[in-house]
Structures are given as C-alpha cells and as structure tokens.
Amino acid sequence: MDFSILEKKEDYIQKVTDVIGSHNKNILLVAPSISDYKEILNIFSDWKVNSRWDVVLCPHPATNVNAIKLYQQNYYPHLKIIYETSLRTFELISASSLVICGYSTTAVEACFFGVRSVRFVNLGTFPIFDYEEIIPVFHDGKSFKKWFDEQSWDINISDTEKLAMDKLVERYFYKIDGKSANRMWDFLNSAPDLPHNKKLDNLSSAS
C-alpha cells in the first residue's frame, strides 16, 4: 500500500523524538478514548519500569488530562508516564513501537503505519470490533506481560505481519487517497432509484 502520508513518517518520528526526548528508546503509546482510561490503566498497572522504553499517554481531545493524571497518581504512582498533549495522535503512532488502546479505531490506524497495537478491555465488555489476530486483546496485565516478553522489539515487523496489517487497513478504510467524496458521488449518481436521480429524470422529461 502506497499512501502519501507515509512519506512523512520519518519527519513525524524526528518531531516526536525532539519533543519527548526518546532517543534510542522504544515508545509505548497509551491512547485511551473518552471513557476507557481507567480500565486501560488498571490493566497496565502491572507494567514495570523498563529503561529501553518510554511510556507516553496521549489523551482523547475531549478528555480532561488532569483527571487521568490524578487517577494514575492516586492508584498507580509507580507508573512512569509521559503525558503528551502538544503532538497529534498519528504523529505519536508513527514514532511508536507499540500502541495500547481500548475498542478504538486507533488500533487499526497503528497498522496503517506498520506499528503493532493491542487492545486493553475489561473481561465481559461487549466487543464493538471483530477480533483480529494481528491486534491481540488483553483483559489482564499478566497475559499482556507474557505476550510482550515473547515479542522481538529490536527488529522490524516481519513481512507477514506487515501484509496482515495492510489487508486489515484496506478492509476498514478501503482507500486513503483523498478521493472518497468523488467515489461517493459517483455511486449516488449511478443509482437511478435514489430520490435525487428520480427528480433529475422528471426534470429532463418535462423539458
């Protein structure tokens, strides 16, 4: 898949590195939605400080970042988290090695950049996405830690992983080429049974 936004990926990585200062470190991006930051932090609470990783949390724009900080500091003060609000989520994703979110399209967007992603959700939560093998789902910190330790973080993702990510992105987003509006109107204009086309037909007949 050849999307023009990927041409700027190195620029995004450099920008994120300059802002956060994560030189020679992997970035683990925590990207909660509006109301799932508590369950994500609860599951993430087993995380141990790792000198090779920086944990960065990018809150949803509609969320009060101070509320997230307060919750984390009250319940999990051992977690060392960088709270970042000046960078856009896709910029942070492009510079990350792993993205953690809940039931959000962020997990799929990470695949667009060739970045691994996982979902943290409470057991029993109704799934709003189909399960995708390329995006594991975790309900507790221990199972995530086991999976995390089994991964090879010092090498790039395999061609097989990248192919699976590309197929997933294409299935969810079809084509990211800036021409979605054109395709929509082409479809609408080609459907004779739609009201606006019937009206045009009537006007043509009347003239």
Side-chain angles (χ1 to χ4, degrees):
M1 303 175 77
D2 184 20
F3 302 136
S4 59
I5 193 173
L6 295 179
E7 296 174 1
K8 300 179 180 179
K9 182 175 179 178
E10 292 303 319
D11 295 334
Y12 299 150
I13 292 174
Q14 187 60 53
K15 182 178 180 181
V16 171
T17 300
D18 291 343
V19 171
I20 296 178
S22 296
H23 297 278
N24 301 318
K25 283 189 175 184
N26 292 323
I27 293 177
L28 189 159
L29 178 63
V30 180
S33 298
I34 296 176
S35 60
D36 61 0
Y37 70 87
K38 290 183 179 179
E39 62 184 288
I40 289 176
L41 287 175
N42 291 347
I43 296 172
F44 189 64
S45 62
D46 285 335
W47 175 262
K48 306 298 181 185
V49 175
N50 189 322
S51 60
R52 298 168 58 193
W53 288 78
D54 275 336
V55 178
V56 179
L57 190 148
C58 176
H60 188 281
T63 305
N64 184 344
V65 66
N66 291 323
I68 302 176
K69 286 182 180 179
L70 184 62
Y71 182 82
Q72 180 252 308
Q73 291 167 358
N74 284 342
Y75 290 94
Y76 310 114
H78 64 283
L79 293 177
K80 185 179 179 181
I81 297 177
I82 300 170
Y83 289 87
E84 177 51 53
T85 57
S86 66
L87 294 167
R88 296 159 80 176
T89 304
F90 74 84
E91 292 174 329
L92 288 163
I93 290 174
S94 67
S96 300
S97 297
L98 176 64
V99 175
I100 295 175
C101 63
Y103 279 131
S104 162
T105 57
T106 301
V108 182
E109 291 162 10
C111 292
F112 173 71
F113 285 98
V115 175
R116 290 171 177 154
S117 61
V118 300
R119 300 188 189 280
F120 278 11
V121 294
N122 286 335
L123 190 63
T125 301
F126 186 81
I128 58 176
F129 288 89
D130 289 337
Y131 177 76
E132 307 289 351
E133 188 175 350
I134 198 68
I135 305 177
V137 178
F138 297 100
H139 308 294
D140 63 88
K142 289 183 178 179
S143 58
F144 166 69
K145 180 69 166 52
K146 181 178 183 297
W147 173 87
F148 182 89
D149 289 341
E150 291 172 350
Q151 309 307 306
S152 298
W153 299 106
D154 294 330
I155 59 175
N156 293 328
I157 62 172
S158 67
D159 291 341
T160 302
E161 281 183 290
K162 187 64 174 71
L163 180 60
M165 289 180 180
D166 287 347
K167 288 182 177 180
L168 179 64
V169 169
E170 189 166 353
R171 194 164 80 250
Y172 272 88
F173 298 117
Y174 185 52
K175 292 181 180 179
I176 308 176
D177 56 6
K179 298 179 181 179
S180 296
N182 295 337
R183 283 192 291 273
M184 180 188 74
W185 283 113
D186 287 344
F187 170 77
L188 292 175
N189 290 332
S190 67
D193 292 334
L194 291 178
H196 71 286
N197 285 332
K198 288 184 177 180
K199 184 177 181 180
L200 289 174
D201 288 342
N202 292 336
L203 289 174
S204 299
S205 300
S207 61

